[in-house]
Amino acid sequence: MTLYKKDIASNAKLIRTCSIWRALDVVGDVPTLLVLQALWLQESRFSGIQQRTSLPKALLSDRLRMLIGAGLIEKRDEAQGDAGPGYRFTKKGRDLYWVTLMLHRWETRWASAPAGFTIRLTHTTCGHAASPAPVCGHCRTEFSARDVDWEEGPGLGLMLPHYARRRQKRELAAAADNRMLFTDAAQLLGDRWASLILRSVLTGLHRYDQILDDTAMATNILTERLNWLIDLDVLKATQYGQSENRLEYRLTRKGIDYFPVLVMLQRWGDMYYGAPEGPPVIFHHRPCGHELEPIVACAHCVEPLWLRDTHVELSPATRRKG
Ligand SMILES: [Zn+2]
Ligand SMILES: [Zn+2]
C-alpha cells in the first residue's frame, strides 16, 4: 500500500516508494530473472528453461506460476509434447525488453566472466548490428547518470518497507553461469536491498546514516550489502572528515553505468504500477533541457529498438587465446 506525505502523522519508519521499487517487487529476484532470460533466449518449454537456468524444478515451477500471476507470461494452449508445457511473454512481459537490453549492455561491459556464448542482435529496419544505447527521446543523444537531474514527482509516496525473507540466491546465478547472458547483472537486480542502496546513492545520499534512514534496513543487512557492492566494484567508500569511521559511498564508473538499467525499470514500473497522481520521479536531460523520455535506441540509426524489429542469433563464444 502506498501512503502519501499528507497522511503521515506518526514517526513510523517509512521509505520512499517509487516505480523502481514496485517493479522490483515483481522482477527483483534472481530465479525470476533467470527464467525471463531463458525466455528471451528463445526457450519456451519447461525442460528447455530448466536446462538453461539450472533451477531446481520446484523452484522453476514456483517462479513460472508467479510470472503468470503477475501477468508477464502465459501458458500456451497447444499440444504439449514431451518437453512439457510452453510459455510465452504477454505484452507486459515483452515491455521489459528495454530493461533486458540494458542489463545485457551492462554485462557486456562489466561482467566478471564472459558468458559461454555470444548473442548477435540485428536491427532489421536498418539492417545493421544492433548495439542498444540508452538515449534521450528528445535530442536522441545518449544519456548517463552524470547528465540527468531529477526531482520528486507528484506520485512519490512513502511506504512501510516489507522485506520478504527470501533466501539469497546468488549461488543460483553462478550455477547457470555459462548458459546465461547476464549473471552479474541478474545478481545485482535480483537483490532488492542492493537496488534500494543504489537508488539512495543515485539520488545524492552518500553517508551511512542517510542511506540507513532512506532504506530503513537493519544495520547488519545494510553493512553486508554495502560491502558486497564494494566487492562488486559498483560502490567505493571514501573517508570524509576526521574520523576513520566516517565513510561516504560513491558510485564507481561501473556503478554509474548501471543507471540506464534502473531508468528503464522505472519506465516499465511507471507503465504498469504507476500512481494515479503521476510519476514519482521526474528526470531532466541537462544537455537539451527537456524532461527525459528514456528510450533504448539502435546505436546506428538512433531509432527505438523494438523487440519485433530485432533479430537474435546465438553462437558459441570464441575462446580467448592464451
Ligand atoms: Zn536530451
Ligand atoms: Zn538501426
Side-chain angles (χ1 to χ4, degrees):
M1 187 183 84
T2 302
L3 304 164
Y4 294 93
K5 277 178 183 163
K6 60 181 168 49
D7 303 321
I8 310 299
S10 73
N11 55 356
K13 197 68 206 171
L14 298 165
I15 66 169
R16 290 179 290 164
T17 180
C18 71
S19 320
I20 292 176
W21 179 255
R22 294 186 205 113
L24 282 170
D25 234 7
V26 182
V27 300
D29 165 68
V30 171
T32 302
L33 288 164
L34 293 179
V35 173
L36 291 172
Q37 270 190 77
L39 286 160
W40 292 119
L41 295 172
Q42 297 166 346
E43 303 289 356
S44 60
R45 300 275 166 196
F46 187 94
S47 60
I49 300 171
Q50 212 239 326
Q51 236 178 2
R52 190 170 281 282
T53 59
S54 303
L55 293 175
K57 279 185 180 169
L59 184 60
L60 174 55
S61 299
D62 177 76
R63 291 310 192 268
L64 287 167
R65 259 198 309 278
M66 199 218 77
L67 285 167
I68 291 170
L72 272 70
I73 61 172
E74 58 196 3
K75 213 166 176 171
R76 292 196 299 205
D77 298 332
E78 68 217 44
Q80 311 285 295
D82 292 343
Y87 299 88
R88 67 174 167 210
F89 283 116
T90 59
K91 179 178 185 304
K92 186 176 176 183
R94 284 194 300 276
D95 283 341
L96 268 174
Y97 187 51
W98 284 358
V99 178
T100 310
L101 288 179
M102 289 299 94
L103 285 168
H104 178 47
R105 171 182 175 270
W106 188 82
E107 185 89 8
T108 312
R109 294 177 166 204
W110 303 103
S112 51
F117 62 95
T118 55
I119 186 165
R120 190 183 148 80
L121 300 172
T122 307
H123 192 207
T124 53
T125 49
C126 78
H128 284 80
S131 165
V135 160
C136 163
H138 183 81
C139 67
R140 296 292 172 105
T141 59
E142 193 164 321
F143 68 82
S144 86
R146 290 270 186 246
D147 52 34
V148 171
D149 296 320
W150 69 278
E151 59 176 338
E152 292 186 0
L156 186 76
L158 296 166
M159 66 173 183
L160 291 161
H162 56 100
Y163 295 113
R165 291 239 161 249
R166 286 188 198 165
R167 199 163 60 86
Q168 287 180 36
K169 295 291 190 318
R170 288 174 199 161
E171 73 276 16
L172 290 173
D177 209 2
N178 60 353
R179 289 183 295 276
M180 301 309 292
L181 270 184
F182 39 88
T183 45
D184 285 11
Q187 286 193 58
L188 200 51
L189 193 63
D191 189 302
R192 282 181 286 177
W193 288 278
S195 299
L196 262 193
I197 293 171
L198 291 180
R199 182 184 74 169
S200 299
V201 178
L202 275 163
T203 56
L205 305 172
H206 299 289
R207 297 184 182 173
Y208 187 90
D209 289 345
Q210 294 175 319
I211 300 171
L212 185 67
D213 191 51
D214 189 48
T215 58
M217 287 180 195
T219 52
N220 61 328
I221 295 177
L222 176 57
T223 303
E224 195 273 335
R225 288 309 194 282
L226 285 168
N227 289 334
W228 182 57
L229 289 168
I230 290 168
D231 283 349
L232 289 178
D233 192 29
V234 166
L235 287 184
K236 59 189 171 200
T238 49
Q239 200 182 316
Y240 73 94
Q242 301 301 318
S243 162
E244 270 182 38
N245 296 328
R246 290 177 168 251
L247 294 176
E248 280 191 340
Y249 298 90
R250 301 260 169 193
L251 293 162
T252 59
R253 280 184 56 221
K254 184 177 175 181
I256 289 168
D257 210 28
Y258 194 70
F259 180 66
V261 173
L262 294 177
V263 170
M264 294 305 161
L265 191 66
Q266 166 160 336
R267 177 184 169 277
W268 185 78
D270 283 344
M271 285 169 77
Y272 290 101
Y273 302 99
E277 290 79 3
V281 178
I282 298 169
F283 294 115
H284 293 278
H285 193 217
R286 210 178 304 128
C288 76
H290 285 80
E291 196 176 306
L292 180 71
E293 184 203 318
I295 62 175
V296 171
C298 161
H300 182 81
C301 67
V302 210
E303 289 301 317
L305 206 47
W306 305 113
L307 179 62
R308 61 173 182 270
D309 304 325
T310 319
H311 177 72
V312 178
E313 225 177 312
L314 304 182
S315 57
T318 39
R319 292 219 169 269
R320 288 189 201 168
K321 285 178 185 164

